[in-house]
Amino acid sequence: EDNMYSKYVTVTLPHGSKQQMKFYGATEVEAEAKKQVAKVKVKLGLLTFNSNTPFVVVADQYFNAYVKAGEYNRGMMKKMLDNNFTDIIGSVAISDIKPTILKQCFNKLDDKSHSYKSKMYMLLSGIFKMAIADGLITNNPMLSITREKGKSGSRRALTETEIKQNMNADRIS
């Protein structure tokens, strides 16, 4: 760092505090170039969180901070989110996500179970609540989404005869 040039960028974070970032380069031009790249990333919400941060980045932050499920369930929930929402709204700035686009995503879940839809609703609500708490947005678009019931499962208790058949089948195999 002794023979390096440095440039600074001061960023105002969503909650109002300021953060200074220092960029180094072998030449003043290199340091300035790194500073300019950082300024663009800050504006896009990629280097610090702001209202332009893409949904996928905010969702990852939510998973890292709040989803305490076991590794298998975390992976399953992340995959559900990616398959149904992130592919459509992942690159959209968190502040640009409106209830209409979320409803379109939920409409893709018509063939899913009530449990599946409920998990997605709770997950998205949590992501947007965190975004409000972090000062990225002021309104939760999920509040405009009606929680719909999914298709009912066909689970039922086994009869005594079915239990005996299953037990006999286990002994045979």
Side-chain angles (χ1 to χ4, degrees), residues 3-97:
N3 297 331
M4 304 286 284
Y5 290 89
S6 61
K7 294 288 181 173
Y8 298 90
V9 172
T10 302
V11 178
T12 303
L13 300 174
H15 48 75
S17 68
K18 298 208 182 279
Q19 175 182 347
Q20 190 173 58
M21 297 178 200
K22 192 173 190 179
F23 301 94
Y24 296 96
T27 65
E28 191 169 349
V29 171
E30 183 181 341
E32 181 64 28
K34 288 180 180 179
K35 173 185 165 185
Q36 294 305 320
V37 167
K39 285 173 91 173
V40 169
K41 286 183 176 181
V42 165
K43 188 172 184 160
L44 294 174
L46 299 175
L47 200 54
T48 60
F49 281 156
N50 61 41
S51 62
N52 293 323
T53 300
F55 173 82
V56 68
V57 175
V58 176
D60 284 343
Q61 179 73 9
Y62 177 79
F63 265 88
N64 293 334
Y66 295 103
V67 178
K68 295 183 190 302
E71 199 56 40
Y72 174 78
N73 286 333
R74 281 175 56 91
M76 181 184 69
M77 289 169 62
K78 183 82 170 92
K79 188 172 183 172
M80 288 167 62
L81 184 67
D82 289 345
N83 289 344
N84 298 295
F85 291 88
T86 307
D87 60 337
I88 296 171
I89 62 172
S91 62
V92 177
I94 192 73
S95 61
D96 289 340
I97 297 174

